[in-house]
Every structure is written in C-alpha cells, then in structure tokens.
Amino acid sequence: MESQSAGAKASMTDEERLALCEKLDKELDEFIDGLEKKRYTDGWPEDRWEEEMDKHPFFMKTAPKGDEMSPLAEGLAKLKYDPDENTPLELATNYKEDGNFNFKHKNYRLAILGYTEGIKVRSDNAEINASLYNNRAAAHWHLKNYRSAIYDSEKALSFNPDHDKARIRAAKAALEVAMYDKCINHCQVLLQKNQDKDITDLLNTAKKKKLLQDRDSRKKERSQKKREDEKNAIVKAIIERGIKISNCEDEDDIDLSKLEPSLPGAQDSIVCVENGVLIWPVLLLYPEYQMTDFIKGCPENVPLINQMEQLFPAPWDEENKYSSSTINVYFEGYDKMPHVVNPTKTLGDLLLLKYYELKAGTPAFFVVVRGSKVERQFLESYI
Amino acid sequence: MAKDPLDELIDFLKPDSRVDLKHISLDHLLGLSGTEDGINIILSKEKILQCIIDLTNDKVEEISKNALLLLINVTANSKGVLELIKYKPEGKKNVVGIFIGYVLDPQTKNADVACMILSNITRVEEALKISIDTFLPHLNDLLNVFVNIDYNKNGANLNYLAPLISNLSCNIRVRRWLTEENPHLPLIKLLPFCNYSPSSIRRGGAIGTLRNIAFDTSHHVFLLSRDLDLLTYLLTPLMGNEEYADEEMDALPIALQYLPKEKERDPDIDIRKMVLETLNKLCATKQGRETLRNNGVYYILREYHKWEKDAKTRLACENVVDILIQKEEEVGADDLSKVEVPADMTEKFQNMDDEYVNSV
C-alpha cells in the first residue's frame, strides 16, 4: 500500500512575489525576442505610401495613363459601376468580371469582394446569381474556407440545381469538414445524372469515413455510459451503507463531486468500488510531529490497524513511540469533538460510527501515543 | 345420370356468371382447399383451376381476393404447383406472368397475395425450372418494387417478394444477375434488408438469398470482396450489445463496433440458423475462412454461443467455430465443398449430431 508524506506549505513573502513577477516578465521578453522576425510586407512601403496610394483605384486623384488596370479601376474612370447608368444585371455582370479578373490573378480575397458586390445587387436573373455564388465558392475553396465554399455552392444550387460544378465543389468541401452525410447526398445526386468514376470514389471515401465517424461516436458514448454507471454504483453503495456525508442534505444530494478529495494530487484517489467493496483514500494525521500519511486505497472491509501497521515505524518517529499497540486513534465528529475509535474495526464500520461525518470524500484520523502529553494537548485543544 | 356437382360448380365460376353464384362457389372451394383431399378434388378437373385463375382478375374485389387466396392454398401443395404451372393462359407460356403483373401494379390490393403465390410456386424445383424464363426479364422491376417500401398505394407491403427472390436465387442465372449486373449490383440493394426490423419475412428472404448464393463457391470471391461489406449485414442478426475486449473489437467490421445498448439479436430462430448456415458455406474456401477469421467472426460466435438456447442452433454454431479455430494447415483442403464424404461416415456423423442435440 502506497503512502506519501505531505510537507507543510510555505507561504510567499512579498519580496519573493516581486522577484517571481520580474522573472516571468523577463522570460516573456526573451521568448518574444526569440521568435522569428518577419517584416510586415503586405502593406504599402513606409517611405512610398503616398505614391502607392495614388495608384490605388479608390484613392487616385487623377486617371492613370497607359498600363492595364483592374476593371474596377477602369470602371471608376468610366462610371462602370454606377447603378444609375446600369441595369442590375449589367451591374452584377460587371462585378462578376471584376471578381473573375482577380481570381485569374489568384487574388482570391479581392475576387470575393467583387463577387460579393455582385451578389448584393440582387439581380432577378438566376443565372448571374448562380454564377456569382459559384465563383465566390471557388475563391473560398482556394482559400480553404471550406464551410463558406459549401454555403456559396449550395446557394448557387438554389438558383440552378443543375450546376454540377457547384455540386461537386459542395461535395468535396463537405468531405474536408467531415460533413459526410452532405457529401454522400450530393454525390448521389451527381451519380444519378452520370456515372463518373471520380464521384463514385468520392462517395465511397465519404461512406468509409462516415462509418468510422459513427463508430467513434458509439465508442465515446459507450465509455461515457460506463463512467456514468460506475459513478452511480459508488453513490448507491455509499447510500446503502448509510454513511453521513458533510454538505449533503439528503440522499439525493450525494454525488461524486462532493466526494472529491481536496488534497492536492489526491484527485485520482477518489473513492471507488471493486467487487462490491468500497475503496477509500485515507488521511492519517500525527499532531505531535505535524506529519500526515495518505493511503491511496484502503478497502472498507479491512481493519484500519492493518493499514497502519504498514506505516510503522515511521521515518519521522525519532523516539520510536508509534506502534499499533501504543497509539490511540481519534476522529473529529460533526459535533466538533474528538472521538476515540477502535482501530481493529474495519474502515467501513468506523465510517458508520455515531458522530462520524465524511468530509471531502477522505476519511481522516488523528494518531497520538496513548497517555502522552501530546494526546492531552490534542484533546484539550477542542475544549 | 346426375350432373357431376363439380361441373355445376364450373358453370357458376365462369366470368360472366352471377356475382353471388361466383361468390358462394369460391367460398365453398376455399373451404375445400384447407385439406389435402380437398385440393385433390379441386385438381381433379382442369377447368376448375382455369376458372379460378380467370377469376383472379374479376372486377369484384372480394371475388378476385378469394380466388387468389384459393390459389395460395393450392400452391402450398407441390402437386398443386405442378398442375398450376401447366396451365397456359391465352398467349402466355404460364400463369406466372399474370401474378407478376399483379405484383407490379401499384394500385391493386392483391399484390401481397400474388407475391405469396409466386413464392409458393418457386419453392418447387420443377416449377422454378419451367417458369424461370418468365421471371428473368422482370427481375430488375421486381427488385425495384421490393426496395421501394411505399410502392403499393393500397396497403400491400410486398414482403413476400423476399422469399420469392430467395427461391429464385436457387437458379444459376438469377445468381448471376444478382452478382454481376451493371451498373448497379442488385445484391447491394438487397443487403440492407438483412436487418430490416419491421418484417422477419423480408429479413428471412434476404438472408436466404445470401445463403443460396454462398452454396456456390464460385461466388465466394465476389461475396467476400471488401466493397460489398457482406459480413456487416450478415453478422448483425447474431450480435447483441455484448462487451468485447479492445483488441477483439478492433477486428470486427467497423459498422459492428461498439453497438449501442439497445441492440438485440434477431428474435427469429430460423433467421439465426440461416446466418450460421451461410457462414458455414463461406468456410468452404480458404479465402472464406481467412476472411472470417480476420473479421473477428470467432469472437462474435463465441458470445453468441453463450446466449443461444436451442441445441440444434448451437450445434450449427459450433460447426462454424470448429473450422475457424483450426489453423489453415489443419483444415487440410482448400475447398471443403469438393471433399467427398463416404456414405458410412455421413451416417456416423449424423448419429453423433443427434446424440449431442438430445443430450443437451
């Protein structure tokens, strides 16, 4: 049986705290300095920002001469995007072209802006809307924004259910984000029209992954259920025995959280059940030397003295006074008074003694040498 | 000489006869058809059967229904089947086409009864041989109708198409259709029905079909192919919510891992028997044995054996387990179905089986 001695915790002085803060600050600085240094290159260069600004279609003060501009730039020059000068369809088409230009040059974010403007026009023409959403979906796909790609592809399909490219993209993107049912549905619609090998492969992949996904969720559910059942078994056993738990009004109040050991490092020693026998973590306190012993798992059907015998002679017991025949064992009852116990009784019996109340799920007992001064002081401290 | 009462009956059964006469005559015949003797009487005059067949198309629902019920009883008797299949209605080779027509009609209430008749007919080997050509062109239609749960709009569930397909699968050409047709393999449409909880008839027919196909070792490569995932469907009726150790669980087909608490084994003992027979057949080839071993079939049967109470079924289970436990070298033959068992040994084994079953 394992046991460990817990030392007394020293508290920090103010100086120590300050020193610790400084140390942490210094470490943080060192860490940041250690990071790879990269310049912010995306923006305009600092020294030439006015120059760059003049080139940008939104901010140019005069029309540029000569070289190619993005259609938006051109349009601004030609009032291409003036809603008064264009029908919604023309407007939407123009925005689409702008988007396409940027797409071709792999400026996917700019392309998305263009398509979005086109969508905002809300033209009545289903074809242009399908096209805008489809193209925006493609741009999202390249940026790996799979959920947006799915959303836009399906919007495109709402305008044109036969848009196979959009459907294929929706299926592929769905696979990427593990939306297997969606992928399977789209694949099946596609296969109805035309037996494509790639789509069949995609479908089979999605089906296999779905099988795995389902299996994994069943597995998780099963282990959760198991833990639930174990918890309930423990609580049931405790209620059956009639052990009094502190902070519990009645039987329904008892749950595992109230039985968590509060000692640091003891959480995984919480009470458990093995073959119908409760196994408790036990704390032994020695007032004389301010020492404690922690027993990780003490079965309820074993006399307490058996466990204690394994601890003696204790390393801190300089005068070798502590042995099973020389000690008295006490617990502190809910009446705030010490009560002596007979350690030859089993732990289970001791927990049922009058005045006994279980705190923090950890039975605790005080151990002193019978008839010693320490014992007298211990008992007097309660008066 | 008094007119033979049967001849009088025939008069009443003519299509243009008075409705109440038809009704009473059919009722009478229906009563007769409950016994073997009665059936023999009915079969004694060809004309009676012919009239009944014609009446299955009668406009009055009650009459057509009773005519069909009569034929179910007639076809439950193998002599009746053979007589029925001889009859050639106008322009057709045999009556099967008529019944297929009823099955494929989404509006008729008589579709279920027609299914049962076809199922009865095909159970008799001779009749199956005679009628197979009539069935072949309609196989895809029949399967599609079967798969579409809501096909019939008038309350027929068409469950008995399952045993029909199972009977048909005794024929090599049907088996080929099931396992080879492009682009969609018919068998794949049938597999999910192995676990169709609302109808044990459907489950039985689906599993029966698998068993029949498994009898023919030439189909084993196909049956055991990864993509078909046969074992997932075949083993489900034998599995409940029992616990398996982690390593054992990992061996099982993925869809069978960590089954939920509510899962129960198939309540129908005949279905469980058929599954075991199918597994037994699959053990005939080396590939079959290895596939079954690799998929943890042994673990499933081990747990199943603890649960099964019927002695004969446990014996069937043990037969499969015995083969699976052996290492390949011990099995001694690549294709067990081709091993010849001497006649005296067969009898000896049969006696051993009986002793075991009676002792348990």
Side-chain angles (χ1 to χ4, degrees):
Chain A
M1 196 75 68
E2 267 190 68
S3 74
Q4 51 192 102
S5 299
K9 246 204 316 201
S11 50
M12 265 199 196
T13 64
D14 280 357
E15 293 94 44
E16 285 171 3
R17 258 189 219 105
L18 273 173
L20 184 61
C21 285
E22 271 179 41
K23 176 161 166 263
L24 290 175
D25 281 353
K26 186 153 164 283
E27 280 178 13
L28 184 62
D29 284 351
E30 281 172 13
F31 171 71
I32 291 181
D33 285 350
L35 289 175
E36 201 187 9
K37 288 187 174 43
K38 240 179 75 163
R39 293 191 60 87
Y40 169 59
T41 49
D42 281 8
W44 293 327
E46 263 180 283
D47 46 354
R48 300 190 290 123
W49 69 269
E50 286 177 30
E51 215 180 314
E52 288 296 319
M53 194 162 157
D54 272 340
K55 286 203 222 145
H56 195 287
F58 285 168
F59 303 112
M60 48 178 69
K61 303 191 188 80
T62 55
K65 309 169 193 23
D67 22 297
E68 188 183 37
M69 282 186 286
S70 80
L72 184 55
E74 268 191 28
L76 278 171
K78 297 184 200 163
L79 289 179
K80 200 168 171 190
Y81 297 91
D82 187 341
D84 296 329
E85 302 282 321
N86 299 280
T87 67
L89 177 56
E90 288 170 350
L91 210 47
T93 309
N94 292 338
Y95 279 122
K96 176 181 148 190
E97 281 168 14
D98 177 71
N100 289 351
F101 179 90
N102 282 315
F103 191 104
K104 221 184 301 197
H105 289 73
K106 298 198 197 299
N107 291 322
Y108 299 119
R109 290 183 207 278
L110 284 176
I112 287 172
L113 289 178
Y115 298 134
T116 306
E117 288 304 309
I119 290 170
K120 279 201 214 163
V121 168
R122 293 168 142 258
S123 151
D124 286 331
N125 183 302
E127 198 185 320
I128 189 66
N129 284 320
S131 195
L132 284 165
Y133 275 113
N134 176 55
N135 292 5
R136 194 170 75 171
H140 277 304
W141 169 269
H142 284 284
L143 290 175
K144 300 200 197 306
N145 297 337
Y146 296 122
R147 285 181 201 269
S148 303
I150 293 174
Y151 178 82
D152 281 347
S153 298
E154 291 189 336
K155 279 299 273 197
L157 286 170
S158 73
F159 286 103
N160 174 10
D162 288 319
H163 200 311
D164 287 349
K165 269 197 173 163
R167 201 178 286 280
I168 293 177
R169 190 175 308 106
K172 287 189 174 159
L175 186 75
E176 295 295 325
V177 287
M179 294 172 87
Y180 301 124
D181 284 319
K182 190 181 278 286
C183 178
I184 290 172
N185 285 338
H186 283 306
C187 285
Q188 283 172 336
V189 172
L190 286 164
L191 286 171
Q192 289 249 22
K193 288 166 118 189
N194 146 36
Q195 291 288 310
D196 185 282
K197 178 167 188 310
D198 288 334
I199 303 293
T200 311
D201 287 344
L202 183 62
L203 175 65
N204 288 336
T205 309
K207 279 187 174 169
K208 289 203 183 91
K209 295 211 167 177
K210 182 167 158 61
L211 274 185
L212 285 169
Q213 191 186 50
D214 287 343
R215 188 270 314 259
D216 289 339
S217 70
R218 289 197 301 268
K219 188 172 178 181
K220 193 162 162 224
E221 221 189 285
R222 187 179 268 222
S223 54
Q224 271 177 351
K225 183 105 205 341
K226 223 169 160 193
R227 255 177 281 136
E228 267 296 310
D229 287 343
E230 278 170 9
K231 273 195 197 175
N232 291 340
I234 295 176
V235 174
K236 187 161 170 262
I238 290 178
I239 293 176
E240 270 174 11
R241 283 152 181 66
I243 300 175
K244 266 201 260 339
I245 316 278
S246 70
N247 295 334
C248 288
E249 296 280 315
D250 53 36
E251 287 183 358
D252 297 328
D253 224 10
I254 303 180
D255 72 75
L256 234 54
S257 60
K258 301 224 168 90
L259 297 168
E260 290 259 354
S262 51
L263 289 177
Q267 274 74 11
D268 54 350
S269 306
I270 192 174
V271 59
C272 58
V273 169
E274 228 173 74
N275 295 332
V277 173
L278 282 174
I279 313 237
W280 296 95
V282 173
L283 193 61
L284 296 172
L285 300 113
Y286 308 96
E288 178 167 4
Y289 288 96
Q290 299 281 302
M291 296 296 283
T292 57
D293 271 325
F294 180 76
I295 305 176
K296 272 202 167 156
C298 184
E300 62 179 346
N301 55 1
V302 164
L304 187 60
I305 197 65
N306 289 18
Q307 300 288 335
M308 297 175 67
E309 263 161 12
Q310 302 191 25
L311 299 168
F312 301 143
W316 39 259
D317 185 12
E318 294 154 7
E319 292 156 45
N320 222 331
K321 295 188 293 203
Y322 287 74
S323 76
S324 42
S325 48
T326 59
I327 51 166
N328 265 352
V329 180
Y330 291 86
F331 71 86
E332 187 179 310
Y334 55 72
D335 56 351
K336 303 274 185 258
M337 292 301 288
H339 298 269
V340 69
V341 302
N342 177 355
T344 61
K345 287 206 173 142
T346 64
L347 178 60
D349 285 339
L350 295 178
L351 294 178
L352 293 174
L353 289 175
K354 193 171 179 204
Y355 297 113
Y356 190 87
E357 190 181 64
L358 185 65
K359 293 202 192 69
T362 311
F365 299 97
F366 295 93
V367 182
V368 288
V369 174
R370 193 176 303 123
S372 66
K373 193 166 106 188
V374 176
E375 184 182 30
R376 217 177 16 255
Q377 284 171 336
F378 169 69
L379 293 173
E380 279 167 11
S381 69
Y382 281 94
I383 300 171
Chain B
M1 191 161 63
K3 199 168 174 203
D4 187 348
L6 282 179
D7 287 322
E8 273 192 59
L9 215 56
I10 290 174
D11 277 335
F12 297 154
L13 291 173
K14 293 220 169 68
D16 41 4
S17 236
R18 261 170 51 194
V19 176
D20 55 342
L21 288 176
K22 283 195 259 185
H23 203 90
I24 299 180
S25 330
L26 271 183
D27 256 354
H28 179 72
L29 287 174
L30 197 50
L32 264 185
S33 67
T35 69
E36 172 123 21
D37 283 337
I39 297 219
N40 284 333
I41 296 176
I42 296 174
L43 294 177
S44 62
K45 298 239 173 188
E46 247 183 59
K47 206 76 181 66
I48 297 187
L49 215 47
Q50 292 173 9
C51 289
I52 300 175
I53 295 173
D54 288 334
L55 285 179
T56 60
N57 216 355
D58 197 282
K59 289 187 200 55
V60 177
E61 203 182 281
E62 189 74 20
I63 293 185
S64 61
K65 185 174 108 178
N66 283 340
L68 284 168
L69 287 177
L70 238 176
L71 288 178
I72 292 188
N73 290 349
V74 167
T75 52
N77 179 306
S78 41
K79 189 157 158 244
V81 170
L82 292 171
E83 283 298 319
L84 186 62
I85 203 74
K86 279 199 254 170
Y87 173 60
K88 289 191 197 308
E90 281 169 57
K92 298 200 177 48
K93 236 182 108 189
N94 54 49
V95 295
V96 166
I98 301 179
F99 301 127
I100 293 182
Y102 294 150
V103 170
L104 296 178
D105 179 353
Q107 299 301 330
T108 174
K109 284 196 183 154
N110 293 327
D112 275 341
V113 184
C115 287
M116 292 182 207
I117 296 175
L118 287 174
S119 174
N120 283 353
I121 292 177
T122 49
R123 203 175 300 133
V124 176
E125 202 181 318
E126 185 65 33
L128 177 59
K129 239 188 258 172
I130 297 174
S131 61
I132 191 72
D133 286 315
T134 320
F135 278 108
L136 283 174
H138 295 289
L139 289 178
N140 280 321
D141 293 328
L142 287 171
L143 182 60
N144 286 335
V145 160
F146 175 67
V147 165
N148 184 349
I149 305 282
D150 296 320
Y151 180 79
N152 185 285
K153 308 299 173 208
N154 253 314
N157 55 38
L158 300 177
N159 290 345
Y160 275 84
L161 277 178
L164 169 64
I165 295 176
S166 174
N167 292 345
L168 289 173
S169 65
C170 292
N171 179 288
I172 175 87
R173 287 151 81 188
V174 174
R175 289 203 297 278
R176 281 214 199 103
W177 163 74
L178 278 168
T179 58
E180 288 170 23
E181 177 111 331
N182 275 308
H184 297 297
L185 276 172
L187 187 64
I188 293 190
K189 292 189 197 167
L190 204 56
L191 280 177
F193 287 97
C194 294
N195 307 314
Y196 185 70
S197 21
S199 165
S200 63
I201 308 283
R202 285 196 178 228
R203 292 200 303 277
I207 294 184
T209 310
L210 290 181
R211 181 197 51 183
N212 291 345
I213 299 180
F215 258 83
D216 186 340
T217 51
S218 67
H219 296 301
H220 281 200
V221 172
F222 164 76
L223 282 179
L224 296 166
S225 55
R226 292 215 86 196
D227 288 334
L228 191 64
D229 205 14
L230 180 83
L231 289 178
T232 295
Y233 299 99
L234 187 61
L235 295 168
T236 305
L238 297 183
M239 292 183 73
N241 59 0
E242 64 274 7
E243 297 262 350
Y244 294 94
D246 282 341
E247 324 81 64
E248 294 177 1
M249 191 69 91
D250 280 338
L252 304 183
I254 294 182
L256 297 180
Q257 294 182 11
Y258 301 102
L259 291 178
K261 245 194 147 189
E262 304 78 46
K263 177 73 180 65
E264 287 178 344
R265 292 185 168 91
D266 198 308
D268 188 316
I269 193 171
D270 290 321
I271 289 180
R272 300 198 298 268
K273 272 201 203 130
M274 276 198 282
V275 171
L276 291 169
E277 284 168 28
T278 313
L279 289 172
N280 198 318
K281 290 294 154 207
L282 288 173
C283 285
T285 57
K286 178 166 169 184
Q287 183 206 10
R289 293 191 289 272
E290 284 178 350
T291 306
L292 262 50
R293 277 188 208 112
N294 292 340
N295 279 283
V297 173
Y298 167 73
Y299 305 126
I300 297 177
L301 291 178
R302 181 191 66 200
E303 299 306 313
Y304 169 73
H305 190 268
K306 292 181 195 164
W307 172 89
E308 178 61 67
K309 297 194 181 54
D310 179 82
K312 279 218 180 101
T313 316
R314 291 177 75 179
L315 180 59
C317 176
E318 282 166 28
N319 287 341
V320 182
V321 170
D322 286 342
I323 303 180
L324 290 181
I325 300 187
Q326 295 176 359
K327 296 213 189 39
E328 261 318 297
E329 312 84 66
E330 295 167 18
V331 172
D334 255 3
D335 188 340
L336 289 175
S337 65
K338 306 230 172 16
V339 170
E340 293 233 7
V341 183
D344 56 337
M345 298 296 279
T346 312
E347 202 188 314
K348 184 167 161 211
F349 291 142
Q350 188 57 45
N351 289 340
M352 282 167 71
D353 279 354
D354 289 337
E355 252 183 67
Y356 169 77
V357 169
N358 292 330
S359 71
V360 169

